[in-house]
Amino acid sequence: TVLHRSRTPLTTWFWAAYLVTTHTPGLSALQLPRQLGIGRYETAWMMLHKLRRAMGRAGRELLHEKVEVDETYVGGPQPGLRGGRERGEKALVVAAVEVRGTASGRVRLRVIPDASGPTLTGFVKAHVEPGAIVVTDAWQGYAPLSGMGYRHRPHTQGGDPKRIERFLPRVHRVFGNLKTWLRGTHHGVDEKHLQVYLDEFTFRFNRRRTPMAAFQTLLGLAAQNPPTTYKRLYGVE
């Protein structure tokens, strides 16, 4: 399991899973030792990362009905970029958010290498049910969606960057919450580990109204997932 060969007591793992799922802003590896009396930062970091990797469950139900999709850059200010989809050294993240009336349903997030058509449509295909309405901006990378079984609804900025936020309010709200969480709780994240933080944000967001159920689900996933290797955990080749 995720806990394989751990020398940390099982009760400490349970407390860590409880805190990371029920504590509203989440927990960083700096905060966890103070909460649980863990002696080393490295132990807390390892525990949280193993739990995060259990949150990224494969085979999840596809988003359906109506979904907003867009991308954003994650990272600090970087001079010299010309705008558009030029990413420089920043990480590019794509999100899909279900529309539930005026509210948001479930979310999916992924770090992507570029904003090309194959990348963006591949993300939609992996996470959105065919036949769903997919609302995007007018970026050409989304254009093939109409021929892939989706009811594509692109919107242009019309010279006003804020205009697109009126058509994609939920996904932009998710991006705002994500960036606030990364800056506030974690004070920034290395790109090579960013996906597991996106998995945690997704897990917590989708269960935001049922934190105790989130705790129970994480315990189940931690028992089902295989151990995380050193290479995966620390991103070494």
Side-chain angles (χ1 to χ4, degrees), residues 127-198:
H127 297 286
V128 182
E129 190 175 69
I133 297 173
V134 180
V135 185
T136 71
D137 59 19
W139 175 245
Q140 60 184 0
Y142 294 111
L145 289 174
S146 298
M148 296 173 60
Y150 297 100
R151 291 177 284 169
H152 186 207
R153 302 289 186 267
H155 293 278
T156 61
Q157 291 186 3
D160 180 7
K162 293 186 177 180
R163 171 184 168 87
I164 202 64
E165 294 184 16
R166 294 197 292 270
F167 291 107
L168 299 168
R170 295 159 192 81
V171 70
H172 281 267
R173 193 179 307 131
V174 164
F175 285 148
N177 291 340
L178 170 66
K179 292 176 183 180
T180 298
W181 177 69
L182 290 174
R183 289 193 303 264
T185 299
H186 300 290
H187 306 291
V189 172
D190 192 309
E191 184 177 352
K192 68 181 179 181
H193 296 302
L194 179 57
Q195 185 60 54
V196 294
Y197 286 90
L198 298 184

Side-chain angles (χ1 to χ4, degrees), residues 29 41-49 52 193 197 233-234:
Y41 167 85
E42 291 79 8
T43 301
W45 186 91
M46 176 272 297
M47 291 177 68
L48 288 176
H49 267 257
R52 289 182 185 115
H193 296 302
Y197 286 90
L233 195 61
Y234 291 94

Side-chain angles (χ1 to χ4, degrees), residues 32-59:
L32 192 63
R34 293 196 294 267
Q35 291 282 348
L36 300 182
I38 298 172
R40 300 175 67 245
Y41 167 85
E42 291 79 8
T43 301
W45 186 91
M46 176 272 297
M47 291 177 68
L48 288 176
H49 267 257
K50 287 191 173 185
L51 290 173
R52 289 182 185 115
R53 289 188 179 277
M55 294 177 182
R57 181 171 59 89

Side-chain angles (χ1 to χ4, degrees), residues 80-134:
L81 298 184
R82 297 189 296 271
R85 262 66 177 184
E86 185 179 4
R87 66 186 290 256
E89 297 301 319
K90 294 186 178 184
L92 185 59
V93 174
V94 62
V97 183
E98 284 180 326
V99 176
R100 291 288 177 264
T102 59
S104 301
R106 296 169 298 160
V107 64
R108 299 285 186 264
L109 290 156
R110 182 189 291 174
V111 178
I112 54 176
D114 53 58
S116 66
T119 298
L120 295 176
T121 58
F123 169 80
V124 173
K125 184 177 180 180
H127 297 286
V128 182
E129 190 175 69
I133 297 173
V134 180

